[in-house]
Amino acid sequence: MDAEAVTVVVAGLGVSGAAAARALAARGERVTVLEAADGERQRVTAAELAELGVEVRFGEPALPAGTSLLVTSPGWRPSHPLLVAAADAGVEVIGEVELAWRLRREPAAPWLALTGTNGKTTAVRMLTSMLSAAGHKAVAVGNVGVPIVEAVDGPYDVLAVELSSFQLHWSSTVAPLAGAVLNVAPDHIDWHGSMEEYASAKARIFAAAGTVVYNADDASSSRLAEPYASRVGFTLAVPRPGELGVVEDLLVDRAFVADPVTSAEELACLADVRPFAPHNVANALAAAALARAYGVPPEAVRRGLREFVPDPHRIAHVARVGEVDYVDDSKATNPHAAAASLAAYPSIVWIAGGQLKGADVDDLVRQAAPRLRGAVLLGTDRDVIRRALARHAANVPVVDVPEQDTGVMDRVVAEAARLATPGDTVLLAPAGASLDMFASYGARGEAFARAVRRLAAS
């Protein structure tokens, strides 16, 4: 950033917006924050920022005269009138991630960055665990954990950076030491406008990366990596030279070794991946590739996986009731995530529904049909899933639960228990967002877990 004070506008007073304002003020910039919502939380944050010399303006945001740079919050769509006005006025618009990259002070900690439709948080936390196991001061930042602008000048050797498509859309010069795309499937099309624009945003992580890490089992991730010579793949199959993969029950590296053609290194066992599921093995391999790009030795990869503690609501086993397992994967908020979850179990009573955000579920249902023993549907778009089940799994019994009250999950779980037989898994993998009925996917998962525990106690 220019050492001379300039007028910078920050759009939004959320976590990233407030962090950006603080970081800019600490560097002597004149900062104005625009915030549409005028609530208690916003007023408290505004008072804290005022002590740093930051002005906060409430109400419908309009571009102030003299704006030299606009830092937008990731949730604001490019079509927002404020961002359109900035573009029309020739004002550069960036996000908090891009701002953090520009605010780094040398010697700066390198970034190991990853993105993907699903698995980002699990993979970045696995990566952080591997880096820590190798003795490095590391922290998970970005779309998870600490805002990046608060970490770039922190006491860290390396940053494990999770990036959403929203954040990448507003990033133009970020150059991680290594960048990974875990997978690409339809999501957030309403924000980006098309699948092509969504994939293009994901591809930005590769543009200036020292090492490009891609999913060799995912056609879109592979295609995005094709233009780059310094690419490393990961696969659930036996790895080829230049890849990490699986040989019998071992995770194996044939990329970061002296001779990838004739040699390989054992990194870990499948049993070291928790919770075990094929998509989690892929997450572990992606994290290992990023860690290996930073020079982490094999023994630290293994130890990092063993010490990793999964976040809640990600294929979390809740209880076994009457020889039926109940699993909470409320974080499966799109069809791609739900497909990965459904693939982990052989015989399933599926709890699904919520806000599909325009996503198609036909392929999901078609692929899962042989595993389904029943389905219980709830939420705004449950009828879309019901029609897909009728087309592709006509013999699967379906229970529709139309209620929207706070106690609906007890009925959902009771209906699932009625459909299940010993050996089945009752799986909450909704394939949709939760905000039609719950405060968050976490609240939905907690409601499911409480209902299961009440069932077990009855």
Side-chain angles (χ1 to χ4, degrees):
M1 302 291 295
D2 193 327
E4 182 181 347
V6 297
T7 302
V8 182
V9 170
V10 175
L13 200 53
V15 174
S16 65
R22 285 192 292 268
L24 286 161
R27 286 161 172 79
E29 309 287 356
R30 283 201 308 271
V31 184
T32 300
V33 179
L34 307 180
E35 174 57 52
D38 189 354
E40 182 179 356
R41 180 192 65 78
Q42 289 84 0
R43 286 289 173 177
V44 169
T45 304
E48 294 171 351
L49 291 175
E51 296 180 3
L52 303 175
V54 175
E55 178 189 4
V56 177
R57 299 182 187 178
F58 289 98
E60 193 62 33
L63 188 70
T67 300
S68 301
L69 177 70
L70 194 153
V71 181
T72 182
S73 297
W76 289 40
R77 297 185 186 186
S79 59
H80 191 285
L82 175 67
L83 306 186
V84 173
D88 290 344
V91 174
E92 185 181 16
V93 180
I94 65 172
E96 180 248 342
V97 172
E98 177 68 18
L99 177 68
W101 183 258
R102 297 184 187 187
L103 291 180
R104 294 171 308 133
R105 292 183 175 132
E106 297 298 338
W111 294 17
L112 300 173
L114 62 86
T115 191
T117 303
N118 296 301
K120 295 185 295 295
T121 298
T122 295
V124 83
R125 294 204 185 281
M126 286 177 169
L127 171 60
T128 307
S129 186
M130 293 172 190
L131 293 166
S132 298
H136 301 297
K137 291 181 180 179
V139 62
V141 297
N143 201 44
V144 61
V146 180
I148 306 182
V149 291
E150 293 182 357
V152 288
D153 291 334
Y156 305 111
D157 302 321
V158 58
L159 302 182
V161 185
E162 176 189 332
L163 297 177
S164 70
S165 59
F166 306 154
Q167 292 169 318
L168 284 163
H169 177 88
W170 299 114
S171 300
S172 57
T173 68
V174 173
L177 178 71
V181 174
L182 305 180
N183 43 65
V184 183
D187 200 15
H188 303 303
I189 306 305
D190 52 348
W191 195 97
H192 290 280
S194 69
M195 182 61 191
E196 291 73 22
E197 287 299 319
Y198 174 65
S200 177
K202 293 292 188 189
R204 286 182 174 232
I205 203 168
F206 286 161
T211 299
V212 165
V213 176
Y214 69 97
N215 185 345
D217 299 332
D218 183 278
S220 294
S221 177
S222 299
R223 185 167 56 253
L224 296 179
E226 282 178 1
Y228 302 96
S230 58
R231 61 184 183 270
V232 170
F234 62 92
T235 174
L236 297 181
V238 174
R240 297 169 296 184
E243 294 181 343
L244 283 70
V246 178
V247 178
E248 297 180 347
D249 66 340
L250 300 177
L251 276 60
V252 171
D253 177 2
R254 290 191 68 189
F256 300 96
V257 292
D259 185 354
V261 175
T262 62
S263 63
E265 283 200 87
E266 176 186 330
L267 300 176
C269 298
L270 290 177
D272 296 322
V273 179
R274 296 177 299 110
F276 179 80
H279 64 286
N280 249 7
V281 176
N283 291 334
L285 289 165
L290 292 170
R292 295 286 281 161
Y294 186 64
V296 169
E299 58 270 20
V301 171
R302 182 191 295 266
R303 189 163 66 253
L305 285 175
R306 289 178 174 176
E307 294 174 354
F308 165 69
V309 178
D311 281 4
H313 313 299
R314 292 164 169 82
I315 54 174
H317 187 269
V318 176
R320 171 169 281 196
V321 183
E323 297 184 61
V324 173
D325 289 314
Y326 290 77
V327 174
D328 167 18
D329 197 18
S330 184
K331 184 60 174 69
T333 56
N334 57 58
H336 186 268
S341 189
L342 288 162
Y345 303 97
S347 183
I348 301 163
V349 176
W350 183 28
I351 299 175
Q355 297 165 303
L356 293 176
K357 299 173 288 185
D360 181 81
V361 294
D362 278 87
D363 285 346
L364 166 67
V365 172
R366 187 185 301 109
Q367 292 169 12
R371 300 169 180 266
L372 298 180
R373 301 295 172 262
V376 182
L377 307 180
L378 75 165
T380 297
D381 291 329
R382 65 187 184 279
D383 196 51
V384 177
I385 301 176
R386 182 189 59 77
R387 292 196 299 269
L389 285 163
R391 286 191 292 271
H392 306 296
N395 294 328
V396 173
V398 177
V399 177
D400 185 277
V401 179
E403 291 91 338
Q404 298 266 327
D405 60 275
T406 55
V408 66
M409 198 61 84
D410 284 291
R411 183 186 167 195
V412 168
V413 169
E415 294 289 357
R418 183 178 61 80
L419 293 174
T421 58
D424 287 348
T425 297
V426 172
L427 175 64
L428 173 66
S434 60
L435 298 180
D436 55 335
M437 295 177 63
F438 301 92
S440 64
Y441 73 81
R444 178 172 59 189
E446 289 297 332
F448 173 75
R450 288 193 298 270
V452 170
R453 288 192 284 268
R454 284 190 286 268
L455 175 71
S458 63

